[in-house]
Amino acid sequence: MSSESKSVSKNFIEEILAQDEDTRRFQGRVHTRFPPEPNGYLHIGHAKSICLNFGIAARYSGGLCNLRFDDTNPTKEDVEYVDSIQEDIRWLGFDWEDRLFFASDYFEQLYDFARKLIRQGKAYVCDLTADEIREYRGTLTEPGRESPYRERSVEENLDLLDRMRAGKFPDGSKVLRAKIDMAAANVNLRDPVMYRILHAHHHRTGNAWCIYPTYDFAHGQSDSLEGITHSICTLEFEHHRPLYDWFLEELEIHHPRQIEFARLSLTHTVMSKRRLLELVRDQHVRGWDDPRMPTLAGLRRRGYTPEAIRNFCERIGISKFNAMIDMHVLENSLREHLNRVAPRVAAVLRPLRVVITNYPEGKSEFLEAVNNPEAPSAGTRQIPFSRELYIEQDDFREDPPKKFFRLAPGKEVRLRYAFFIRCEEVVKDPETGEITELRCTYDPETRGGNAPDGRKVKGTIHWVSAEHAIRAEVRLYDHLFRVPDPIDVPDGGSFLDHLNPDSLETLTDCCLEPSLASAVAGEQFQFERLGYFCVDPDSQPNAPVFNRSVTLRDTWAKVEKAQQAAGK
Ligand code: ATP
Ligand code: MG
């Protein structure tokens, strides 16, 4: 095989890793890390990064991947996030073994690095305010101006930094800056801030520190200290790379190779933690784990499986170009997995009573139903049939359009795994005209779903025996936002203006087959003909709550749409 054809299947990151292996750049070592800031819950975008970093480590012999919290911003961080992040990564199926680290563990070392740079004349304490620093920085077209504090002596800088650490100065009164080049074309190199004063309690170091390193100063050095070989990050850090290189070179410490890739964006949702926090805090959703959220906790509650998410990340691949992925790609990954593993059951979401007038009162019998046609080993179960049943309101039309093969007056239909029934009479509420009941007859000869005389019916519908049914609440979800990209909309305004007011519909009177009595939170099912559903943790004994994870493809809606379009 030529090297060219071998490389076709590789993404560009794997190409780089293969090169580094060939040149022994890191003595053949591969060591990655996933570095979240504990300032929110993980979302599906993070899953892409987790699958990438842990996946690479798993593919190389001796490969390792660390989990490191980049916890340099105490005012936005919380142990709740530290805990949830670990839970979510484990749930996704990855293991950092004994390599759990925190940037805050390196605060003392980072402080020493800062002092080293001061001694080398490469860092200084600056008294400009935040606004002044911004103003002095210049723009993309104009160079910056040098701070009047730039030429402080090494001794003065060392002394000031020590007093900053000792709490002698108020928040915002001084910063430590790298002394690089105020005329650099790359704005990140115009004397960036390394330390700021922040008299704030840190969730791990308590009140030990009142100065905190910036992300830009902490991140690269933390990677270096951990011996990371490949620091994989998203594209927006490309312009920070020269700064990270500068720090590592001036400090003369291990130099990881930074590789940038395109972050994941999905339609009909938002992915920035700031916006997700706003949704939670202002109660547009019920919490970080609301099933409409793109967080891993939300997706899990919605019924997503780790397999579906990992397959999705594999499918979308890795690239250098930011693009938006359609939510349907994610949903399809879930359908594919649940189609293989979820047992089929009968559930009626909007019940319509059916009385089988020629079936004896008080009698019931059991019929055999297949648990999963995709997995014969899943076997069969017995479902009860009796004189009174429920069917979906949608499965009956008093005045059926063409090609409506479900139940209608005088028409015959197959009840799945049971009998043919014919609709003889429609009973309505005399006041409202609403259909309250159908009176039907069944053909006992069609037990199991076939007529011995060879007569055919076109439609098969699902049903539940009324006296055996379990009552349940079912929550139907739709996109959280009405538009594909709620951030970038021409009319401006807030992303909140584009929330979908119908993203949650709660049905409280659903009827499930009795086998679901023992279902526990998190369990997944296919409700035949309706979609995939899972048990919500809000469930109580005898009061189950189900979430719709994803619909099946709705063929009737398509037929009807096509008919409307054709004017039929
Ligand atoms: P946000 O901007 O949404 O707050 P972040 O990038 O600040 O997210 P971090 O906690 O820093 O969040 O992210 C940890 C890791 O996950 C980083 O390496 C980051 O590059 C990666 N990551 C974050 N969002 C995405 C995304 N949408 N797609 C791919 N990787 C992502
Ligand atoms: Mg970040």
Side-chain angles (χ1 to χ4, degrees), residues 538-567:
D538 281 349
S539 298
Q540 300 289 326
N542 301 318
V545 178
F546 280 78
N547 295 314
R548 184 173 67 194
S549 311
V550 66
T551 55
L552 299 173
R553 258 162 244 119
D554 184 349
T555 45
W556 172 248
K558 266 188 218 149
V559 172
E560 203 163 33
K561 232 187 212 164
Q563 285 184 349
Q564 275 165 6

Side-chain angles (χ1 to χ4, degrees), residues 141-161:
T141 48
E142 283 167 53
R145 279 179 294 141
E146 294 189 350
S147 160
Y149 305 97
R150 202 171 195 259
E151 299 309 327
R152 275 177 166 154
S153 70
V154 168
E155 289 67 35
E156 189 183 0
N157 282 320
L158 286 174
D159 176 58
L160 284 172
L161 182 65

Side-chain angles (χ1 to χ4, degrees), residues 299-310:
L299 292 170
R300 175 165 64 233
R301 187 160 181 178
R302 176 77 169 257
Y304 271 82
T305 59
E307 289 86 344
I309 294 176
R310 292 198 305 259

Side-chain angles (χ1 to χ4, degrees), residues 33-39 42-46 48-49 53 215 219 232-234 236-237 261-265 271-274:
R33 84 291 178 258
F34 174 66
E37 298 177 54
N39 58 0
L42 295 182
H43 53 59
I44 181 76
H46 293 116
K48 177 176 177 179
S49 177
N53 280 293
Y215 184 85
H219 184 75
I232 300 171
C233 59
T234 42
E236 66 274 20
F237 288 99
F261 72 100
R263 63 171 46 232
L264 168 67
S265 308
M271 213 84 95
S272 108
K273 281 185 284 191
R274 180 172 59 78

Side-chain angles (χ1 to χ4, degrees), residues 109-158:
Q109 176 69 68
L110 292 168
Y111 189 78
D112 285 346
F113 284 154
R115 287 176 58 88
K116 180 170 176 183
L117 290 176
I118 291 177
R119 282 196 304 273
Q120 293 171 349
K122 300 288 183 182
Y124 62 98
V125 173
C126 179
D127 299 6
L128 292 180
T129 64
D131 284 343
E132 287 167 335
I133 288 180
R134 206 170 303 124
E135 191 200 320
Y136 273 64
R137 191 183 295 133
T139 64
L140 287 175
T141 48
E142 283 167 53
R145 279 179 294 141
E146 294 189 350
S147 160
Y149 305 97
R150 202 171 195 259
E151 299 309 327
R152 275 177 166 154
S153 70
V154 168
E155 289 67 35
E156 189 183 0
N157 282 320
L158 286 174

Side-chain angles (χ1 to χ4, degrees), residues 38 71-79 104 107 171 196-212:
D71 53 350
T72 55
N73 199 349
T75 56
K76 297 215 168 125
E77 295 161 8
D78 200 285
V79 280
S104 55
F107 280 174
D171 286 3
R196 64 243 195 258
I197 302 173
L198 209 59
H199 290 266
H201 182 89
H202 187 281
H203 58 101
R204 297 194 79 242
T205 57
N207 295 322
W209 293 86
C210 62
I211 59 171
Y212 291 94

Side-chain angles (χ1 to χ4, degrees), residues 143-194:
R145 279 179 294 141
E146 294 189 350
S147 160
Y149 305 97
R150 202 171 195 259
E151 299 309 327
R152 275 177 166 154
S153 70
V154 168
E155 289 67 35
E156 189 183 0
N157 282 320
L158 286 174
D159 176 58
L160 284 172
L161 182 65
D162 280 346
R163 284 160 58 200
M164 280 166 65
R165 175 178 180 171
K168 305 290 184 205
F169 306 113
D171 286 3
S173 58
K174 289 184 174 15
V175 292
L176 181 72
R177 300 176 69 176
K179 192 172 177 177
I180 309 180
D181 179 3
M182 288 309 290
N186 183 336
V187 185
N188 291 308
L189 294 176
R190 296 182 189 170
D191 292 11
V193 173
M194 295 164 58

